[in-house]
Amino acid sequence: MQVRMLAHWPRQIRRKRKSTTTVFFHHSEPRTPSPLPPPPTTLTHTTTFFVCHDAFSGSQTRSPEGSNCFHKVKPALSNNYATLREIEGRLKSIKNIEKITNTMKIVASTKLARAGRAMAESRVYGETSNKVFKNAETKPTEGGKTLIVVNSSDKGLCGSIHSGLTKAVRRKLIENPNADIVIIGEKSKAQLGRSSAKNIVLSFANIGKDIPTFAEAQTVADKIFQLEKSYDNIEVVYNAFKSAISYEPETINTYSEDAIMASANISTFEVEDEQLANLREFALANTIYWALTEGHACENSARRNAMDNASKNAGDMINRFQILFNRTRQAVITGELVEIITGAAASAE
């Protein structure tokens, strides 16, 4: 016996869009009636379904006859800023960033003036100290153990001065892969630690946050001389201040006691043998102090330039988004006016 039954499904709230198509078919499946006692024979029923084809997503759903077929339509995603609130929020964030970069530019400009005065003073002592070894014609010991002292800083947002210094040190390591490294500053330590971690024997942090002092340079020199190894050649690598927009990595050599004694014109200077160790230590501390002050001036100059460029870029972005905001607002106002006029015209008819 065939029994035609219709499934009673709850009425749906959302109705099917006009773009969908409906196909009618019959589906038969066995069923055992409940809760009545099972009859001796199994009844089958025929249920009528409607197949709803979603023209937007391509999916198909089944709903029983008599119910309203529906589908869900996801909102289209857009990569542009379609609403006034989103554009306004983006404008606000860019303006806040511009304020920060302008403030950092002013701070860097103030620090640069002080750093320039300290650099000029230390340069006099450094050049005078190196002139002694230049006139004595002191030369590095060939084949001796070499130590590279890298003068960087702990702070970023100052362009490529740290990466340029790191590249110069890597070129030296290619020529002398057995050289040891002493790093002042966390930036160069992080960069060199990825490629030359085995060469790093000592590192310093929190040096040169403000204007570098000779006491800090003397502390670094003392720690270097307390290392287990003795070095014949010590090379101090730093950023030399050429102009407000130009900085180049340079190297200053300091020499061992044997190299000083072997100088061709050392006899022109009244230096006793007992004072050679003190002369070497003072020359290293003086060179590190000169390198720290030059690097500090380069860092503040580069940070000022970087913040100036960031502020200009933020201003350009603000102008572009302001134009986009005005156009979007005008489009919204025009759309509302069209709706009002259309509704008024329809009501008049």
Side-chain angles (χ1 to χ4, degrees), residues 84 325-335 337:
L84 290 175
F325 178 81
N326 294 337
R327 289 178 178 175
T328 306
R329 182 178 61 180
Q330 188 64 38
V332 172
I333 294 173
T334 303
L337 289 176

Side-chain angles (χ1 to χ4, degrees), residues 2 41 45 60 76 78 88 94 98 109 126 141 188-190 200 215 307 312:
Q2 299 289 334
T41 59
H45 71 278
Q60 294 182 353
S78 178
E88 188 176 6
I94 297 174
E98 185 186 27
S109 300
T141 304
S188 290
K189 179 183 177 182
I200 300 175
M307 294 301 104
K312 292 179 180 178

Side-chain angles (χ1 to χ4, degrees), residues 4 14 16 54 84 95 118 121 126 172 179 242 270:
R4 181 178 177 85
R14 300 179 61 183
K16 173 181 167 297
D54 192 344
L84 290 175
K95 289 179 180 179
E121 295 174 358
K172 289 182 174 294
K242 301 298 182 181
E270 297 180 357

